[in-house]
């Protein structure tokens, strides 16, 4: 029987290179998220409290594509694709495939998502 390839670990890195989080499974990210059966909780600091308690989910599909979903956060979720400067704002509750190296704007928190 063929072994399933190991799931890669995702990293959220701040603008100054500070490691904000290691994500080894599907995750619910926010200021004070609660874990669920499907997702681990990833808590981030939000100095201005602009990050919602449960701001977004980050999942990996079977092909290891990164899928980000805004959970109806007050300040939304913006994505800046690698090599771009324009922020693309996600539609709430709509899963969106995001390439590694993209920068997530989550209220007052900026983080690059990568493997």
């Amino acid at each position: 029987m063929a072994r399933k390839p190991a799931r890669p670990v995702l990293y959220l890195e701040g603008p100054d290179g500070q490691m904000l989080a290691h994500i080894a499974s599907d995750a619910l990210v926010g200021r004070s998220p609660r874990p669920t059966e499907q997702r681990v909780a990833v808590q981030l600091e939000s100095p201005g409290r602009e990050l919602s308690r449960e701001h977004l989910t980050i999942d990996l599909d079977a092909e290891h594509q990164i899928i980000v979903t805004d959970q109806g956060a007050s300040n939304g979720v913006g994505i800046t694709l690698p090599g771009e400067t324009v922020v693309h704002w996600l539609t709430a509750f709509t899963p969106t495939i995001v390439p590694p190296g993209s920068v997530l704007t989550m209220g007052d928190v900026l983080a690059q998502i990568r493997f």
Side-chain angles (χ1 to χ4, degrees), residues 78-82 87 98-99 101-105 110-113:
I79 304 291
T80 305
L81 300 172
V87 178
V98 175
S102 296
V103 174
L104 305 176
T105 300
L110 295 176
Q112 183 181 51
I113 189 165

Side-chain angles (χ1 to χ4, degrees), residues 55-80:
H55 205 96
L56 70 148
T57 58
I58 300 175
D59 303 308
L60 284 181
D61 68 10
E63 288 80 40
H64 298 151
Q65 295 181 103
I66 302 166
I67 302 170
V68 174
T69 307
D70 177 345
Q71 295 298 295
S74 299
N75 291 309
V77 176
I79 304 291
T80 305

Side-chain angles (χ1 to χ4, degrees), residues 24-68:
S25 61
D26 293 343
L28 177 59
V29 180
R31 200 168 18 92
S32 59
R34 292 185 180 184
T36 68
E37 288 184 24
Q38 296 84 22
R39 293 187 175 89
V40 297
V42 175
Q43 183 173 355
L44 298 179
E45 295 289 322
S46 177
R49 295 182 56 87
E50 294 177 20
L51 184 68
S52 295
R53 287 184 188 161
E54 296 182 344
H55 205 96
L56 70 148
T57 58
I58 300 175
D59 303 308
L60 284 181
D61 68 10
E63 288 80 40
H64 298 151
Q65 295 181 103
I66 302 166
I67 302 170
V68 174

